Amino acid sequence: VPESDNDDNNSNDNKSEDEVLLIELNTDWQKKYFGKSKCALFPRTSEEVSEILRYCHENHIAVCPQGGNTGLVGGAVPVFDEVILSLKRMNSVLSIDDITGVCVCEAGVVLEELDDALMRRGMCVPLDLGAKGKCQIGGNVSTNAGGLRLVKYGSLRGTVLGLEVVLADGTVLSSLLRENRKDNTGYDLKQLFIGAEGTLGIVTKVAILASRAPEARIVTIFACDTFRKVVHLMVEVKKRLAENLSAVEFFDHESLKLTVDTLPGAKDPFPYADDLKTNIQFYVAVETTVNEKAMESRLRANVLNFARSVCVLAEDGRKSRGKFVSILQKKFRGDEAERNKPNLAQRFVISENEKHANELWNLRERISVALKYAGAVYKYDVSLPTIKMYELVERMRERFAERRMDDKVKVLGYGHLGDGNLHLNISRKEGPCKDTLAMIEPFVYEYVTEHKGSVSAEHGLGAMKVQELWRGKDAEEVRLMQRVKNMFDPRGILNPHKMIPSSSPPLPSKL
Amino acid sequence: VPESDNDDNNSNDNKSEDEVLLIELNTDWQKKYFGKSKCALFPRTSEEVSEILRYCHENHIAVCPQGGNTGLVGGAVPVFDEVILSLKRMNSVLSIDDITGVCVCEAGVVLEELDDALMRRGMCVPLDLGAKGKCQIGGNVSTNAGGLRLVKYGSLRGTVLGLEVVLADGTVLSSLLRENRKDNTGYDLKQLFIGAEGTLGIVTKVAILASRAPEARIVTIFACDTFRKVVHLMVEVKKRLAENLSAVEFFDHESLKLTVDTLPGAKDPFPYADDLKTNIQFYVAVETTVNEKAMESRLRANVLNFARSVCVLAEDGRKSRGKFVSILQKKFRGDEAERNKPNLAQRFVISENEKHANELWNLRERISVALKYAGAVYKYDVSLPTIKMYELVERMRERFAERRMDDKVKVLGYGHLGDGNLHLNISRKEGPCKDTLAMIEPFVYEYVTEHKGSVSAEHGLGAMKVQELWRGKDAEEVRLMQRVKNMFDPRGILNPHKMIPSSSPPLPSKL
Ligand SMILES: Cc1cc2nc3c(=O)[nH]c(=O)nc-3n(C[C@H](O)[C@H](O)[C@H](O)COP(=O)(O)OP(=O)(O)OC[C@H]3O[C@@H](n4cnc5c(N)ncnc54)[C@H](O)[C@@H]3O)c2cc1C
Ligand SMILES: Cc1cc2nc3c(=O)[nH]c(=O)nc-3n(C[C@H](O)[C@H](O)[C@H](O)COP(=O)(O)OP(=O)(O)OC[C@H]3O[C@@H](n4cnc5c(N)ncnc54)[C@H](O)[C@@H]3O)c2cc1C
């Protein structure tokens, strides 16, 4: 019988501490999902993971794998009393190859710690997300996390080279842990575990292709008046800053307002914009990097040049001096110069140094943190055709306005513009409310499906969206998934009630 | 009963033409593998593919899917008399999205034609390989082709967004054809078909993320004296030219000699190198690009600057004038400048224009074509730890020398340096020979397995290496593959005798 960590200490002094820990492990990051597990295990080796699973398999005991527990769809906490199998003690970086950039580590390494280890060798993880201080590389792999720099690094499906996985019956599949950049021998089974949310096996080791860490970065924020311009600005950015581009994100004015109001230190990057009667509705955050510090000034010149060429007001919007210059320029600039410009943005601001870059970047990165402190929040993470992406946010606002519920909720749109990935968030200061939820679901899912989007671009399905798997998929496809699940986990002990529904599709509802 | 194209015409005039066609379809690119199929079908729609498979499934008739038939492991021709299902009439480009870069097309589109269609919109396929004039995107996906620009574009596993697949029993899985950059809803089943070599289903449509086409490129060839320097040069290139890098390839002197001797027009890029008593053994071909023509001169300056900083002789090796300047420089240059250089390369040459770039690039790209005309060739495509990659070529030469067989064969090493992917080729002018083969196999496979490499980095296993699947893999992993195969194709009608062995592992042999 595997020992629970909580049983390790039998002294009463520690009991309450253990209980606190157990409550923590049963509660998800958003404090929305609560499990009732009485047993959490913290194995240190793949063999220990294997021992646990073998026992659970033999005895039909359900297991919930847990990484950093930052998942947003209730996947990392038990639904009932599943055994919590935490990877947090398997946190060694095993090897880093300076020549190839291949890094092998245990699944429980916290993303930021892995990044730090690589940084010391001039490299970085090809993945970055707001939860990096807590999420684990094994959790990232298990959710196929996208994050902020997909534009630069591509998907984990390309950069994860190998995995060690422990199957439901305790078999350790160690030959999947390859370190070759290329390997076309047989089916690439590791792909099944990428994004499987712990339903097919426990990821215990990861081989990943690190990137060279940039030595300098410049963050630019553009202010736009329409979403159509936001999209065309993105296209221009991808075209003209391509070689140095690492991220193209966007957020709307509602998101900025909430961040500025909620987080101490967060400042509106365009404080004088209103004076100019510009109608700023959207912000596009562009991150560019160079590998060599020596090239920074050249990059700065490029970015500035680009920004000027797409912007109505051709100077940095941050300097207060610029306020009057802008007004004057606007009045006196020749018509012709104006006509040749695409005028995609109203204003822009370019980071002056790393501290300023962080400040600007945080306006995008910390929206989800601001939301957490601003009351109850309903989070949706969807893919949509880029040009139509923001219509969903507008439709949502209309729905609330029609029912005169719009004074109670804030509807925010932001996300990974460069990847066609919208984060739709409905924030309700006064806490959760059934009527609000009923206004959102299933509307959001139906809308997205109708527009051939994805109801989960990057967060996965977890417990939250398990029934949404059917949307936009042939029944045959879902059935194949069920057969894959059954092949790897015939007793259904791995993260039950998550991701793969055991039943048939629900009856269709009308939009 | 589906009609064979060959039966369409019953007039005798056409008979012999049909027979010629059938022989062609039964013969692989290398003219090493010969099938005996009497029936080839050329469906035009997914429904027709479905109709064929349904019939074949019901009647236990084996099918060999065929794309451009450029595969190098005998995968695209029948082993016996399988029905040849050619995709070549399914060659429409269906849509290109200018905003997202997502392109949807039928599987039978020839890679170069797809690239041309994208080029007209300023985009390109994120894949390039020597066979582009003949291979099809469906074949590329089915072999998970790597090609020359993996360094820039990453693997197809990241850029293929969706597939339409017809399963063995005729089911058309159309919901796998997604066009979203990101989609984390359920298992990513399409990954199973990427690289499945036609053993799990027929790929009928592909959605792929196109890249922006660069407007200018510069090719540089470096000449090095040791392989250690080749590798360190690659590391420097990746570090210092990162933003513009699209390929880092290498070839050895033996490869260059064979190309120059075999292909009209191919010229040694360093014709005066011998006079300088440099000991050039290796060439590193670096391709860099910029998205905007206007940036070309800046890129040129960067590349030149880089090349000078790593090179013993600090000027372009192509100009004949340089010969004496070099000698003088070598004699009179201050010791200090010399000491601060890594001296990774002996000489370099930078392309002066697009024509020159092509000329230089062809020295690498056309080695496989030169080999085809130079007699019989034994081709191996392996992954190895980069620093040790070339040892295999040297060991191979030693083996032939030990048996005094080295005057009959040429052992060539070249490949995708940036990806740790070696193409080992043994060329024998006088034609194939059993003793030669016995010197190579299983030695190569054993060597690669022992060094934790991959016995097929990109070409796949096909009929040629089906038994090598066991190498370096736990029996459990192979058994899972067999179960996947069985799940998708329970009657084993799809490309039998390829990739997945039906039997148990062969007895181990000693190195
Ligand atoms: C502030 C914030 C910002 C975020 N930003 C992003 C973003 O930009 N992009 C994005 O994609 N996500 C984002 N997320 C969501 C989340 O951080 C990611 O999904 C992350 O990859 C989860 O990692 P984790 O270690 O916390 O996994 P957990 O939350 O612990 O687990 C997630 C799922 O994976 C399973 N799992 C975990 N570890 C393993 C393992 N070793 N083996 C098998 N199964 C395992 C769990 O059972 C669960 O189903 C964000 C979350 C927060 C809180
Ligand atoms: C000169 C030359 C250079 C090459 N360079 C490279 C290189 O750099 N990198 C690289 O990876 N390869 C390279 N190759 C190998 C080859 O070109 C690739 O494997 C290519 O992707 C095969 O495409 P194809 O359409 O010719 O496929 P085929 O040869 O017709 O088929 C290959 C395999 O895929 C299956 N298949 C084909 N189409 C389908 C379909 N629609 N659905 C299901 N199964 C299908 C076939 O049954 C077969 O098993 C090269 C080949 C040549 C001749």
Side-chain angles (χ1 to χ4, degrees):
Chain A
V1 185
E3 280 181 299
S4 156
D5 245 50
N6 309 303
D7 300 339
D8 274 4
N9 287 306
N10 270 334
S11 70
N12 266 338
D13 309 359
N14 274 327
K15 258 273 151 67
S16 64
E17 236 180 66
D18 286 350
E19 275 165 18
V20 171
L21 176 67
L22 210 49
I23 291 172
E24 235 177 64
L25 294 166
N26 271 298
T27 310
D28 83 315
W29 188 85
Q30 295 183 82
K31 302 205 189 331
K32 265 197 180 170
Y33 297 87
F34 307 95
K36 297 183 201 71
S37 178
K38 297 243 156 52
C39 173
L41 301 173
F42 303 83
R44 287 180 192 277
T45 64
S46 310
E47 291 64 42
E48 288 178 5
V49 174
S50 167
E51 181 191 330
I52 295 168
L53 289 192
R54 208 176 319 118
Y55 182 88
C56 290
H57 184 73
E58 276 165 17
N59 296 284
H60 291 80
I61 298 169
V63 175
C64 173
Q66 188 174 89
N69 195 12
T70 68
L72 298 173
V73 289
V77 296
V79 175
F80 299 108
D81 62 350
E82 299 93 293
V83 170
I84 296 171
L85 194 160
S86 164
L87 276 293
K88 75 174 183 198
R89 290 200 183 147
M90 293 182 64
N91 59 357
S92 304
V93 177
L94 302 172
S95 68
I96 297 173
D97 184 323
D98 288 306
I99 288 172
T100 59
V102 178
C103 165
V104 183
C105 65
E106 290 181 321
V109 181
V110 168
L111 182 60
E112 197 164 47
E113 281 164 21
L114 181 59
D115 207 51
D116 288 344
L118 282 163
M119 278 291 182
R120 273 171 244 134
R121 318 279 277 261
M123 295 184 266
C124 64
V125 186
L127 174 73
D128 185 29
L129 60 165
K132 60 176 166 268
K134 194 163 183 283
C135 66
Q136 300 173 1
I137 187 71
N140 301 144
V141 168
S142 299
T143 56
N144 185 31
L148 299 159
R149 304 222 170 86
L150 197 87
V151 165
K152 178 170 182 184
Y153 300 127
S155 138
L156 286 179
R157 298 198 176 274
T159 52
V160 170
L161 305 183
L163 295 177
E164 181 189 78
V165 178
V166 182
L167 298 180
D169 65 0
T171 306
V172 183
L173 258 190
S174 52
S175 63
L176 283 185
L177 189 68
R178 296 189 195 123
E179 296 178 42
N180 305 300
R181 179 71 185 93
K182 285 154 91 175
D183 175 31
N184 276 348
T185 55
Y187 308 135
D188 190 0
L189 295 180
K190 74 166 183 292
Q191 295 290 344
L192 287 173
F193 301 98
I194 299 178
E197 303 185 37
T199 62
L200 294 181
I202 310 282
V203 175
T204 45
K205 293 197 184 98
V206 177
I208 191 165
L209 188 66
S211 287
R212 191 142 285 280
E215 288 184 359
R217 70 164 179 160
I218 293 175
V219 173
T220 312
I221 298 200
F222 294 90
C224 301
D225 54 1
T226 69
F227 193 71
R228 202 189 57 78
K229 289 191 188 173
V230 165
V231 174
H232 287 284
L233 178 60
M234 176 216 46
V235 173
E236 283 298 303
V237 164
K238 281 192 175 180
K239 187 165 154 186
R240 293 178 48 200
L241 297 175
E243 286 94 2
N244 299 96
L245 190 63
S246 64
V248 206
E249 301 280 312
F250 97 101
F251 47 99
D252 62 10
H253 195 59
E254 198 76 32
S255 302
L256 179 72
K257 245 170 48 195
L258 186 110
T259 307
V260 170
D261 292 349
T262 313
L263 297 183
K267 276 181 285 187
D268 184 343
F270 305 102
Y272 301 99
D274 284 348
D275 311 355
L276 297 170
K277 305 217 188 313
T278 47
N279 178 25
I280 295 180
Q281 294 295 330
F282 301 98
Y283 305 89
V284 175
V286 175
E287 188 191 58
T288 46
T289 58
V290 274
N291 270 14
E292 290 191 286
K293 189 77 186 163
M295 308 291 273
E296 185 176 1
S297 58
R298 192 171 280 181
L299 173 64
R300 182 171 298 279
N302 276 359
V303 173
L304 194 64
N305 190 33
F306 169 77
R308 288 197 172 132
S309 77
V310 294
C311 199
V312 174
L313 299 181
E315 86 300 329
D316 190 319
R318 189 165 168 263
K319 297 180 189 106
S320 58
R321 185 186 71 90
K323 176 184 169 187
F324 300 104
V325 175
S326 309
I327 296 171
L328 289 165
Q329 277 189 335
K330 218 178 174 181
K331 288 240 186 288
F332 296 102
R333 193 162 32 191
D335 262 5
E336 199 167 0
E338 209 65 331
R339 237 185 283 117
N340 287 331
K341 277 194 185 208
N343 279 353
L344 296 175
Q346 301 293 313
R347 298 177 74 87
F348 66 89
V349 49
I350 297 186
S351 65
E352 283 166 10
N353 49 44
E354 183 55 23
K355 183 167 165 284
H356 189 205
N358 268 329
E359 233 172 84
L360 294 177
W361 194 245
N362 277 342
L363 292 175
R364 160 63 189 92
E365 198 180 67
R366 306 199 69 217
I367 298 170
S368 57
V369 178
L371 276 163
K372 197 183 174 181
Y373 293 113
V377 54
Y378 300 91
K379 295 181 94 66
Y380 301 87
D381 157 49
V382 303
S383 281
L384 278 169
T386 314
I387 195 80
K388 288 187 179 170
M389 207 158 89
Y390 200 71
E391 273 172 28
L392 173 58
V393 182
E394 289 165 339
R395 286 282 289 116
M396 204 68 243
R397 287 198 186 121
E398 277 163 33
R399 281 173 68 87
F400 283 113
E402 279 161 18
R403 304 280 178 103
R404 301 185 194 285
M405 289 166 75
D406 48 336
D407 54 334
K408 298 274 189 223
V409 298
K410 293 199 174 94
V411 179
L412 276 60
Y414 62 93
H416 310 300
L417 177 67
D419 317 317
N421 181 182
L422 171 76
H423 291 325
L424 168 72
N425 283 255
I426 291 97
S427 170
R428 194 171 184 280
K429 203 169 195 163
E430 293 160 29
C433 140
K434 270 211 168 136
D435 288 352
T436 303
L437 185 59
M439 291 297 293
I440 311 172
E441 292 185 28
F443 168 76
V444 167
Y445 298 132
E446 286 165 354
Y447 184 94
V448 169
T449 309
E450 198 194 337
H451 290 83
K452 291 189 190 293
S454 164
V455 296
S456 181
E458 54 176 20
H459 293 164
L461 298 171
M464 178 185 179
K465 306 187 195 170
V466 58
Q467 282 307 326
E468 312 308 329
L469 180 67
W470 298 97
R471 293 194 187 271
K473 288 189 175 46
D474 301 339
E476 185 62 32
E477 187 185 341
V478 179
R479 258 178 246 125
L480 281 169
M481 290 185 194
Q482 289 169 328
R483 287 172 67 189
V484 168
K485 166 74 179 171
N486 195 49
M487 176 176 148
F488 282 91
D489 180 21
R491 300 190 178 170
I493 64 164
L494 286 173
N495 229 4
H497 323 293
K498 314 272 174 70
M499 189 162 161
I500 303 295
S502 47
S503 59
S504 298
L507 292 176
S509 80
K510 279 257 167 331
L511 192 59
Chain B
V1 183
E3 281 181 297
S4 155
D5 246 49
N6 310 301
D7 299 339
D8 275 2
N9 287 305
N10 270 332
S11 69
N12 267 336
D13 310 357
N14 274 328
K15 257 276 151 68
S16 65
E17 235 179 68
D18 286 351
E19 276 166 17
V20 171
L21 176 67
L22 209 51
I23 291 172
E24 236 177 63
L25 294 166
N26 271 298
T27 310
D28 83 313
W29 187 85
Q30 295 182 82
K31 302 203 189 332
K32 264 196 181 172
Y33 297 89
F34 308 95
K36 298 183 200 70
S37 179
K38 297 243 158 49
C39 173
L41 302 172
F42 303 83
R44 287 180 193 278
T45 64
S46 310
E47 291 64 42
E48 288 179 5
V49 174
S50 168
E51 181 192 330
I52 295 168
L53 288 192
R54 208 176 319 116
Y55 181 89
C56 290
H57 183 75
E58 277 165 15
N59 296 283
H60 292 83
I61 297 169
V63 174
C64 174
Q66 188 173 89
N69 195 12
T70 68
L72 297 173
V73 289
V77 295
V79 175
F80 300 108
D81 62 350
E82 299 92 295
V83 169
I84 297 171
L85 194 161
S86 166
L87 277 293
K88 75 175 182 196
R89 290 199 183 147
M90 294 182 63
N91 59 356
S92 305
V93 178
L94 302 172
S95 69
I96 297 173
D97 184 323
D98 289 307
I99 287 172
T100 59
V102 178
C103 165
V104 184
C105 65
E106 289 181 323
V109 181
V110 169
L111 182 60
E112 198 164 45
E113 282 163 20
L114 182 58
D115 207 51
D116 288 345
L118 284 164
M119 277 292 181
R120 273 171 246 135
R121 318 279 277 261
M123 295 185 266
C124 65
V125 186
L127 174 73
D128 185 30
L129 61 165
K132 60 175 166 269
K134 195 163 184 282
C135 67
Q136 300 171 2
I137 188 70
N140 301 144
V141 167
S142 300
T143 57
N144 185 29
L148 297 158
R149 303 221 171 89
L150 197 87
V151 165
K152 179 171 180 184
Y153 300 127
S155 139
L156 286 179
R157 299 199 174 274
T159 52
V160 171
L161 303 183
L163 296 177
E164 180 188 79
V165 178
V166 182
L167 298 181
D169 64 1
T171 307
V172 184
L173 258 191
S174 52
S175 62
L176 284 184
L177 189 67
R178 300 195 190 117
E179 297 179 41
N180 304 300
R181 177 72 185 95
K182 285 154 93 175
D183 175 31
N184 278 347
T185 55
Y187 308 135
D188 190 0
L189 295 181
K190 74 165 184 293
Q191 295 291 343
L192 287 173
F193 300 98
I194 300 179
E197 303 185 36
T199 62
L200 295 181
I202 311 281
V203 175
T204 45
K205 292 195 186 99
V206 178
I208 191 165
L209 188 67
S211 287
R212 190 141 286 278
E215 288 183 359
R217 69 165 178 158
I218 293 175
V219 172
T220 313
I221 297 199
F222 295 90
C224 302
D225 54 0
T226 69
F227 193 71
R228 203 189 56 79
K229 288 191 187 172
V230 164
V231 174
H232 287 284
L233 179 60
M234 176 216 45
V235 172
E236 283 298 303
V237 165
K238 282 192 174 178
K239 187 165 155 184
R240 293 178 48 201
L241 297 174
E243 285 95 3
N244 300 97
L245 191 63
S246 65
V248 206
E249 300 281 310
F250 96 101
F251 47 100
D252 61 10
H253 194 60
E254 199 75 33
S255 302
L256 179 72
K257 246 168 50 194
L258 186 111
T259 308
V260 170
D261 293 348
T262 313
L263 297 182
K267 275 181 288 188
D268 184 342
F270 305 102
Y272 301 99
D274 285 349
D275 311 355
L276 297 171
K277 306 218 187 316
T278 48
N279 178 27
I280 295 180
Q281 294 294 329
F282 302 98
Y283 304 88
V284 175
V286 175
E287 189 191 57
T288 45
T289 59
V290 274
N291 270 15
E292 290 191 286
K293 189 79 186 164
M295 307 291 273
E296 185 177 359
S297 58
R298 192 172 278 182
L299 173 63
R300 183 172 299 281
N302 275 359
V303 173
L304 193 65
N305 188 32
F306 169 76
R308 286 197 174 132
S309 77
V310 293
C311 198
V312 174
L313 299 181
E315 86 299 330
D316 190 318
R318 189 165 168 261
K319 298 179 189 112
S320 58
R321 186 185 70 88
K323 175 185 168 186
F324 300 103
V325 175
S326 310
I327 296 172
L328 289 164
Q329 278 190 334
K330 216 177 176 182
K331 286 239 187 293
F332 295 102
R333 192 160 37 191
D335 262 6
E336 201 169 357
E338 210 63 331
R339 237 185 284 119
N340 285 334
K341 280 194 181 209
N343 280 351
L344 296 175
Q346 301 293 313
R347 297 176 75 86
F348 67 89
V349 49
I350 297 186
S351 65
E352 283 164 11
N353 48 44
E354 183 56 21
K355 183 166 164 284
H356 189 205
N358 268 329
E359 235 173 82
L360 293 177
W361 194 246
N362 277 342
L363 293 175
R364 161 63 189 92
E365 198 180 67
R366 306 201 68 218
I367 299 170
S368 56
V369 178
L371 276 163
K372 196 182 176 182
Y373 293 113
V377 54
Y378 300 90
K379 296 181 92 68
Y380 300 88
D381 158 47
V382 303
S383 282
L384 277 169
T386 314
I387 194 81
K388 287 185 180 170
M389 207 159 89
Y390 201 71
E391 272 171 30
L392 173 58
V393 182
E394 289 166 338
R395 285 283 288 118
M396 203 67 241
R397 288 197 186 121
E398 277 163 32
R399 280 172 69 87
F400 283 113
E402 279 161 16
R403 303 279 179 103
R404 301 186 192 285
M405 289 164 74
D406 48 336
D407 54 335
K408 297 276 188 223
V409 298
K410 291 197 175 96
V411 179
L412 275 61
Y414 62 94
H416 310 300
L417 177 67
D419 317 316
N421 181 182
L422 172 75
H423 290 326
L424 168 71
N425 284 254
I426 291 97
S427 169
R428 194 170 183 282
K429 202 168 197 163
E430 293 159 30
C433 143
K434 272 213 165 136
D435 288 352
T436 303
L437 185 60
M439 291 297 293
I440 310 171
E441 291 184 28
F443 167 76
V444 167
Y445 298 132
E446 286 166 353
Y447 183 95
V448 169
T449 309
E450 197 194 338
H451 290 83
K452 292 190 190 293
S454 164
V455 297
S456 181
E458 54 177 20
H459 293 165
L461 298 170
M464 178 185 178
K465 305 186 196 170
V466 57
Q467 282 307 325
E468 312 308 328
L469 180 66
W470 298 97
R471 292 193 188 275
K473 287 189 175 46
D474 301 340
E476 185 61 31
E477 187 185 342
V478 178
R479 258 178 247 125
L480 281 169
M481 291 186 192
Q482 289 169 328
R483 287 172 69 188
V484 169
K485 166 74 179 170
N486 195 50
M487 175 177 149
F488 283 90
D489 180 21
R491 298 191 180 169
I493 64 164
L494 286 173
N495 229 3
H497 323 295
K498 313 272 174 70
M499 191 164 158
I500 302 294
S502 46
S503 58
S504 297
L507 292 176
S509 81
K510 278 261 168 326
L511 193 62

